[in-house]
Amino acid sequence: MKEYEEVIHKYYSALKVNGLPSSWDIYSSYFSRLCYNYKDVQVLTNLAEKNSWTHVLDLNNDLVNKEQVIVVTDAELNIVHATKNIHAMNGYMPDEIIGKKPKMFQGVATSKETTAYISKAVKSKSSFEATILNYRKDGTPYNCYIKGSPVFNEKGKLINFIAYEREVA
């Protein structure tokens, strides 16, 4: 999205236009975001079916309506999927973080108490909610509200963790 905005800015700057872009440009930005969200819904639905999740997802509400970032890890906490809107929150593209652990977003000022709370919930295969200080790709900090849940398959085996995230003040 950021790249799109930069291209649009360069284009209109070169035209020496002092007005706002057309409504099509504004709608196009919204439409592109919506398309990415629905593609992510499809990928997450396929992941849920492939892994026989018993967890019922309301992806349209969580991703499309609430515009939350969704991060899915395997049982060992390696990231297996992140929705494309993560880039707007922290500057990382999903393919840059696949295979890495969410700990990559933490830094010097990240609360040890909060990370201990999350770690305890993960180890006990429990849901959790927390706000944690994370770091963007460029190193700037941001507060991230996370609602995480373990995801089990039909046999009761822990398969994934899913986290719904958003930047908060």
Side-chain angles (χ1 to χ4, degrees):
M1 186 63 157
K2 184 178 179 183
E3 293 83 5
Y4 174 80
E5 296 299 330
E6 290 172 359
V7 169
I8 292 297
H9 175 73
K10 286 180 185 178
Y11 174 76
Y12 281 104
S13 294
L15 291 177
K16 307 287 187 220
V17 175
N18 292 328
L20 294 173
S22 70
S23 62
W24 176 248
D25 289 332
I26 294 167
Y27 178 75
S28 175
S29 173
Y30 169 76
F31 183 72
S32 293
R33 189 171 66 244
L34 195 60
C35 287
Y36 285 134
N37 286 346
Y38 278 116
K39 186 174 182 182
D40 278 325
V41 167
Q42 185 178 26
V43 170
L44 287 165
T45 300
N46 291 342
L47 183 64
E49 289 173 3
K50 175 184 165 200
N51 291 327
S52 303
W53 289 1
T54 57
H55 187 84
V56 178
L57 303 173
D58 186 4
L59 296 171
N60 283 330
N61 186 45
D62 294 325
L63 182 61
V64 178
N65 296 338
K66 292 182 182 177
E67 296 188 9
Q68 296 182 97
V69 171
I70 300 176
V71 177
V72 180
T73 69
D74 61 18
E76 290 78 39
L77 298 182
N78 299 302
I79 298 170
V80 297
H81 182 75
T83 53
K84 288 180 183 44
N85 60 351
I86 195 168
H87 183 264
M89 183 171 70
N90 65 21
Y92 288 97
M93 295 300 291
D95 61 340
E96 293 179 282
I97 64 172
I98 301 298
K100 297 181 181 171
K101 298 193 183 294
K103 192 172 197 143
M104 71 178 282
F105 305 117
Q106 298 172 12
V108 161
T110 302
S111 166
K112 302 296 182 216
E113 292 82 17
T114 305
T115 57
Y117 163 74
I118 293 171
S119 181
K120 182 179 177 184
V122 167
K123 287 177 184 167
S124 68
K125 302 176 186 173
S126 303
S127 297
F128 65 90
E129 290 185 49
T131 299
I132 190 166
L133 182 72
N134 277 346
Y135 290 83
R136 293 182 178 86
K137 186 176 181 178
D138 68 6
T140 58
Y142 68 100
N143 288 312
C144 184
Y145 169 78
I146 305 170
K147 182 176 181 179
S149 299
V151 181
F152 301 94
N153 70 7
E154 294 168 346
K155 296 179 182 178
K157 180 181 176 188
L158 176 67
I159 298 296
N160 298 102
F161 280 93
I162 189 165
Y164 303 90
E165 304 180 6
R166 70 178 186 276
E167 184 175 356
V168 294

